[in-house]
Amino acid sequence: MDQKIIKNNDYRKIKENLVNWLRSELKKSGLKGAVVGLSGGIDSAVTARLCQLAFPENLLTVILPCHSNPQDREDALKLASELDLKVIENDLSEVYDHLLSNLKSNKIKGSKLAAANIKPRLRMTSLYYYAQSLSYLVVGTDNKSELKIGYFTKHGDGGIDLAPLGSLVKYEVRELAKELGIPTEIITKKPSAGLWSGQTDEKEMGFSYQQLDNYILTGQAEPEIKAKIERLAAANQHKLTPVPIPQRRDLIGN
Protein backbone atom coordinates (compact mmCIF):
# COMPACT_ATOMS: atom_id res chain seq x y z
CA MET A 1 0.00 0.00 0.00
CA ASP A 2 1.10 3.55 -0.74
CA GLN A 3 1.07 4.89 2.81
CA LYS A 4 1.94 8.49 2.00
CA ILE A 5 -1.53 9.67 2.91
CA ILE A 6 -1.68 7.89 6.25
CA LYS A 7 1.88 7.36 7.45
CA ASN A 8 1.96 10.71 9.32
CA ASN A 9 -1.30 10.19 11.18
CA ASP A 10 -1.04 11.10 14.85
CA TYR A 11 -2.88 8.17 16.41
CA ARG A 12 -2.63 9.60 19.90
CA LYS A 13 -4.51 12.66 18.64
CA ILE A 14 -7.00 10.48 16.78
CA LYS A 15 -7.62 8.58 20.02
CA GLU A 16 -8.22 11.81 21.94
CA ASN A 17 -10.50 13.19 19.23
CA LEU A 18 -12.60 10.01 19.14
CA VAL A 19 -12.92 9.87 22.92
CA ASN A 20 -14.09 13.50 22.95
CA TRP A 21 -16.49 12.80 20.08
CA LEU A 22 -18.01 9.86 21.93
CA ARG A 23 -18.50 11.97 25.05
CA SER A 24 -20.11 14.72 23.01
CA GLU A 25 -22.47 12.34 21.20
CA LEU A 26 -23.50 10.67 24.42
CA LYS A 27 -24.22 14.03 26.02
CA LYS A 28 -26.33 15.08 23.01
CA SER A 29 -28.30 11.84 23.21
CA GLY A 30 -29.31 12.43 26.80
CA LEU A 31 -28.51 8.80 27.62
CA LYS A 32 -26.12 7.37 30.19
CA GLY A 33 -23.55 5.12 28.54
CA ALA A 34 -22.80 2.58 25.83
CA VAL A 35 -23.21 -1.07 24.91
CA VAL A 36 -20.62 -2.67 22.60
CA GLY A 37 -20.72 -6.18 21.19
CA LEU A 38 -17.38 -7.96 21.61
CA SER A 39 -16.62 -10.32 18.71
CA GLY A 40 -12.99 -11.12 19.44
CA GLY A 41 -11.92 -9.02 16.44
CA ILE A 42 -9.98 -5.80 16.12
CA ASP A 43 -12.86 -3.43 15.33
CA SER A 44 -14.88 -4.36 18.40
CA ALA A 45 -11.74 -4.29 20.55
CA VAL A 46 -10.85 -0.77 19.44
CA THR A 47 -14.44 0.42 19.82
CA ALA A 48 -14.75 -1.02 23.31
CA ARG A 49 -11.47 0.53 24.43
CA LEU A 50 -12.43 3.96 23.07
CA CYS A 51 -15.77 3.77 24.89
CA GLN A 52 -14.00 2.68 28.07
CA LEU A 53 -11.79 5.76 27.88
CA ALA A 54 -14.80 7.98 27.15
CA PHE A 55 -17.11 6.73 29.92
CA PRO A 56 -15.39 4.04 32.01
CA GLU A 57 -18.21 3.69 34.53
CA ASN A 58 -20.96 3.44 31.95
CA LEU A 59 -19.86 0.79 29.46
CA LEU A 60 -21.25 -2.72 29.02
CA THR A 61 -19.60 -5.13 26.60
CA VAL A 62 -21.52 -8.19 25.44
CA ILE A 63 -20.26 -11.46 23.95
CA LEU A 64 -22.95 -13.10 21.80
CA PRO A 65 -21.69 -16.37 20.29
CA CYS A 66 -23.97 -18.03 17.76
CA HIS A 67 -22.42 -21.25 16.48
CA SER A 68 -19.24 -19.18 16.48
CA ASN A 69 -15.58 -20.12 16.35
CA PRO A 70 -14.67 -20.88 20.01
CA GLN A 71 -11.44 -18.92 19.52
CA ASP A 72 -13.44 -15.73 18.98
CA ARG A 73 -15.10 -16.13 22.37
CA GLU A 74 -11.75 -16.82 24.03
CA ASP A 75 -10.22 -13.73 22.40
CA ALA A 76 -13.15 -11.58 23.51
CA LEU A 77 -12.95 -12.85 27.08
CA LYS A 78 -9.18 -12.34 27.16
CA LEU A 79 -9.59 -8.76 25.93
CA ALA A 80 -12.26 -8.04 28.52
CA SER A 81 -9.99 -9.43 31.23
CA GLU A 82 -6.89 -7.52 30.12
CA LEU A 83 -8.75 -4.21 29.78
CA ASP A 84 -10.94 -4.81 32.83
CA LEU A 85 -14.13 -4.37 30.82
CA LYS A 86 -17.54 -5.06 32.30
CA VAL A 87 -18.71 -8.01 30.21
CA ILE A 88 -21.68 -10.36 30.02
CA GLU A 89 -22.21 -13.33 27.74
CA ASN A 90 -25.30 -14.80 26.11
CA ASP A 91 -25.07 -17.72 23.68
CA LEU A 92 -27.62 -17.25 20.89
CA SER A 93 -27.12 -20.63 19.20
CA GLU A 94 -30.30 -22.23 20.56
CA VAL A 95 -32.39 -19.17 19.70
CA TYR A 96 -30.90 -19.15 16.19
CA ASP A 97 -31.65 -22.84 15.64
CA HIS A 98 -35.23 -22.47 16.82
CA LEU A 99 -35.91 -19.41 14.67
CA LEU A 100 -34.31 -20.90 11.55
CA SER A 101 -36.26 -24.12 11.97
CA ASN A 102 -39.46 -22.14 12.34
CA LEU A 103 -38.71 -20.07 9.23
CA LYS A 104 -37.96 -23.18 7.17
CA SER A 105 -41.29 -24.74 8.18
CA ASN A 106 -43.03 -22.63 5.52
CA LYS A 107 -41.20 -24.53 2.76
CA ILE A 108 -39.36 -21.47 1.46
CA LYS A 109 -35.82 -22.54 0.64
CA GLY A 110 -33.50 -20.08 2.32
CA SER A 111 -30.08 -19.18 0.98
CA LYS A 112 -26.86 -19.68 2.92
CA LEU A 113 -26.42 -15.92 3.28
CA ALA A 114 -30.03 -15.35 4.37
CA ALA A 115 -29.57 -17.90 7.14
CA ALA A 116 -26.16 -16.52 8.14
CA ASN A 117 -27.46 -12.95 8.37
CA ILE A 118 -29.90 -13.99 11.07
CA LYS A 119 -26.91 -14.14 13.44
CA PRO A 120 -25.96 -10.44 13.35
CA ARG A 121 -29.64 -9.50 13.44
CA LEU A 122 -30.13 -11.52 16.60
CA ARG A 123 -27.06 -9.82 18.06
CA MET A 124 -28.49 -6.41 17.16
CA THR A 125 -31.76 -7.27 18.92
CA SER A 126 -29.87 -8.45 21.99
CA LEU A 127 -27.65 -5.36 22.16
CA TYR A 128 -30.66 -3.07 21.94
CA TYR A 129 -32.39 -5.01 24.70
CA TYR A 130 -29.49 -4.31 27.03
CA ALA A 131 -29.05 -0.75 25.79
CA GLN A 132 -32.68 0.22 26.23
CA SER A 133 -32.80 -1.46 29.64
CA LEU A 134 -29.83 0.64 30.81
CA SER A 135 -30.63 3.85 28.88
CA TYR A 136 -27.43 3.34 26.86
CA LEU A 137 -26.50 3.78 23.20
CA VAL A 138 -25.43 0.90 20.98
CA VAL A 139 -21.98 1.79 19.66
CA GLY A 140 -21.08 -0.03 16.45
CA THR A 141 -17.79 -1.26 15.06
CA ASP A 142 -18.09 -0.55 11.31
CA ASN A 143 -15.04 1.10 9.75
CA LYS A 144 -14.74 3.20 6.59
CA SER A 145 -13.55 0.26 4.49
CA GLU A 146 -16.62 -1.79 5.38
CA LEU A 147 -18.96 1.17 4.90
CA LYS A 148 -17.51 1.93 1.46
CA ILE A 149 -18.64 -1.43 0.05
CA GLY A 150 -21.56 -2.07 2.39
CA TYR A 151 -19.79 -5.00 4.02
CA PHE A 152 -22.16 -5.37 6.95
CA THR A 153 -25.58 -6.84 7.58
CA LYS A 154 -28.45 -4.42 7.15
CA HIS A 155 -30.35 -4.18 10.46
CA GLY A 156 -27.62 -6.39 11.94
CA ASP A 157 -24.17 -5.02 12.72
CA GLY A 158 -25.35 -1.99 10.74
CA GLY A 159 -28.15 -1.43 13.28
CA ILE A 160 -26.37 0.94 15.67
CA ASP A 161 -26.52 4.43 17.18
CA LEU A 162 -22.90 5.56 16.71
CA ALA A 163 -20.05 4.48 14.42
CA PRO A 164 -16.83 5.97 15.84
CA LEU A 165 -14.60 4.08 13.39
CA GLY A 166 -16.62 5.12 10.36
CA SER A 167 -13.99 7.57 9.07
CA LEU A 168 -11.00 5.24 9.47
CA VAL A 169 -9.95 2.58 6.97
CA LYS A 170 -8.91 -0.85 8.22
CA TYR A 171 -5.19 -0.01 8.17
CA GLU A 172 -5.82 3.02 10.35
CA VAL A 173 -7.90 0.97 12.77
CA ARG A 174 -4.94 -1.41 13.16
CA GLU A 175 -2.59 1.48 13.86
CA LEU A 176 -5.03 2.97 16.35
CA ALA A 177 -5.27 -0.44 18.03
CA LYS A 178 -1.54 -0.32 18.71
CA GLU A 179 -1.92 3.10 20.31
CA LEU A 180 -4.74 1.74 22.47
CA GLY A 181 -2.76 -1.27 23.67
CA ILE A 182 -4.93 -3.92 22.02
CA PRO A 183 -3.27 -7.38 22.21
CA THR A 184 -1.12 -8.23 19.17
CA GLU A 185 -2.95 -11.48 18.48
CA ILE A 186 -6.18 -9.54 17.94
CA ILE A 187 -4.50 -6.92 15.75
CA THR A 188 -2.97 -9.57 13.47
CA LYS A 189 -6.01 -11.87 13.42
CA LYS A 190 -7.65 -12.48 10.03
CA PRO A 191 -10.82 -10.37 9.91
CA SER A 192 -14.03 -12.41 9.82
CA ALA A 193 -17.70 -11.62 10.23
CA GLY A 194 -18.12 -15.11 11.70
CA LEU A 195 -21.08 -15.88 9.46
CA TRP A 196 -20.03 -19.50 8.84
CA SER A 197 -17.10 -21.80 9.51
CA GLY A 198 -13.91 -20.73 7.74
CA GLN A 199 -15.41 -17.46 6.52
CA THR A 200 -13.03 -14.50 6.22
CA ASP A 201 -13.75 -10.94 5.08
CA GLU A 202 -11.15 -10.87 2.33
CA LYS A 203 -12.14 -14.24 0.88
CA GLU A 204 -15.77 -13.14 0.71
CA MET A 205 -14.99 -9.66 -0.68
CA GLY A 206 -12.68 -10.96 -3.39
CA PHE A 207 -9.85 -8.52 -2.61
CA SER A 208 -7.68 -7.57 0.35
CA TYR A 209 -8.23 -4.78 2.85
CA GLN A 210 -4.92 -3.38 1.66
CA GLN A 211 -6.29 -3.05 -1.87
CA LEU A 212 -9.57 -1.60 -0.59
CA ASP A 213 -7.89 0.88 1.76
CA ASN A 214 -5.50 2.01 -0.94
CA TYR A 215 -8.38 2.65 -3.34
CA ILE A 216 -10.37 4.59 -0.73
CA LEU A 217 -7.39 6.76 0.23
CA THR A 218 -5.75 7.28 -3.18
CA GLY A 219 -8.34 6.38 -5.81
CA GLN A 220 -5.83 3.93 -7.23
CA ALA A 221 -6.36 0.22 -7.84
CA GLU A 222 -5.91 -2.37 -10.54
CA PRO A 223 -8.84 -2.10 -12.98
CA GLU A 224 -10.27 -5.47 -11.94
CA ILE A 225 -10.12 -4.60 -8.23
CA LYS A 226 -11.55 -1.13 -8.81
CA ALA A 227 -14.46 -2.67 -10.72
CA LYS A 228 -15.16 -5.15 -7.90
CA ILE A 229 -15.08 -2.43 -5.26
CA GLU A 230 -17.38 -0.10 -7.17
CA ARG A 231 -19.74 -2.95 -8.03
CA LEU A 232 -20.10 -3.88 -4.37
CA ALA A 233 -20.46 -0.23 -3.33
CA ALA A 234 -23.26 0.29 -5.85
CA ALA A 235 -25.07 -2.94 -4.99
CA ASN A 236 -25.00 -2.17 -1.27
CA GLN A 237 -25.73 1.55 -1.41
CA HIS A 238 -29.24 0.85 -0.07
CA LYS A 239 -27.66 -0.06 3.28
CA LEU A 240 -26.34 3.49 3.70
CA THR A 241 -29.30 5.55 2.55
CA PRO A 242 -32.61 6.35 4.27
CA VAL A 243 -35.63 4.19 3.47
CA PRO A 244 -37.23 5.56 0.28
CA ILE A 245 -40.54 7.35 0.87
CA PRO A 246 -42.77 8.63 -1.95
CA GLN A 247 -43.08 12.41 -2.11
CA ARG A 248 -46.44 13.66 -0.85
CA ARG A 249 -46.84 15.95 -3.86
CA ASP A 250 -46.44 12.96 -6.20
CA LEU A 251 -49.24 11.15 -4.42
CA ILE A 252 -51.86 13.78 -3.80
CA GLY A 253 -50.63 16.82 -5.72
CA ASN A 254 -49.94 19.23 -2.82
Side-chain angles (χ1 to χ4, degrees):
M1 180 192 294
D2 180 355
Q3 297 176 6
K4 291 180 181 179
I5 292 180
I6 54 182
K7 70 177 183 180
N8 293 323
N9 283 351
D10 183 343
Y11 288 96
R12 179 175 296 182
K13 187 65 176 176
I14 290 173
K15 176 185 71 175
E16 293 173 356
N17 288 339
L18 281 173
V19 167
N20 289 334
W21 181 84
L22 283 164
R23 288 172 177 160
S24 174
E25 292 300 312
L26 180 64
K27 184 177 181 179
K28 285 192 289 186
S29 75
L31 298 177
K32 300 176 181 178
V35 171
V36 177
L38 277 190
S39 68
I42 186 172
D43 297 314
S44 69
V46 169
T47 302
R49 179 58 177 151
L50 289 169
C51 288
Q52 183 185 40
L53 293 172
F55 15 85
E57 302 303 319
N58 300 88
L59 169 65
L60 176 67
T61 62
V62 188
I63 301 174
L64 297 166
C66 188
H67 295 300
S68 306
N69 183 341
Q71 186 62 52
D72 292 337
R73 174 181 176 273
E74 290 179 21
D75 290 341
L77 287 171
K78 181 179 179 182
L79 178 78
S81 177
E82 290 192 10
L83 297 183
D84 195 25
L85 298 168
K86 182 180 180 181
V87 61
I88 60 174
E89 182 178 359
N90 189 353
D91 194 316
L92 299 176
S93 302
E94 186 177 346
V95 175
Y96 171 85
D97 291 342
H98 180 77
L99 177 58
L100 186 58
S101 176
N102 183 274
L103 293 170
K104 287 182 175 179
S105 69
N106 287 309
K107 309 303 181 185
I108 294 176
K109 184 179 179 181
S111 69
K112 179 180 180 180
L113 187 58
N117 275 330
I118 293 173
K119 297 178 182 181
R121 289 178 176 134
L122 284 175
R123 293 187 180 110
M124 179 276 293
T125 300
S126 302
L127 292 175
Y128 270 100
Y129 170 81
Y130 294 122
Q132 189 166 6
S133 298
L134 296 167
S135 295
Y136 282 9
L137 293 170
V138 174
V139 180
T141 65
D142 303 298
N143 58 59
K144 187 176 180 68
S145 302
E146 294 166 339
L147 294 174
K148 167 65 178 176
I149 59 171
Y151 190 71
F152 59 89
T153 299
K154 192 173 186 178
H155 307 307
D157 46 329
I160 56 177
D161 297 313
L162 301 176
L165 305 185
S167 291
L168 301 177
V169 298
K170 193 74 169 186
Y171 172 86
E172 293 168 322
V173 174
R174 289 195 185 100
E175 294 302 301
L176 179 58
K178 297 174 187 176
E179 171 67 29
L180 292 168
I182 303 302
T184 301
E185 57 267 32
I186 290 181
I187 295 175
T188 58
K189 186 177 181 179
K190 283 188 177 181
S192 171
L195 296 180
W196 53 79
S197 178
Q199 185 263 347
T200 66
D201 292 1
E202 294 182 332
K203 186 187 299 182
E204 192 177 3
M205 292 188 302
F207 43 80
S208 69
Y209 272 111
Q210 179 174 323
Q211 291 169 314
L212 176 57
D213 292 354
N214 189 61
Y215 179 64
I216 292 171
L217 294 172
T218 70
Q220 299 175 5
E222 296 176 5
E224 181 183 355
I225 299 302
K226 178 180 179 180
K228 283 184 178 180
I229 292 171
E230 291 303 328
R231 187 163 57 247
L232 277 173
N236 290 321
Q237 185 60 35
H238 66 95
K239 298 181 182 181
L240 297 166
T241 55
V243 175
I245 300 174
Q247 294 295 313
R248 180 177 174 83
R249 62 177 176 273
D250 293 336
L251 299 178
I252 59 178
N254 56 31

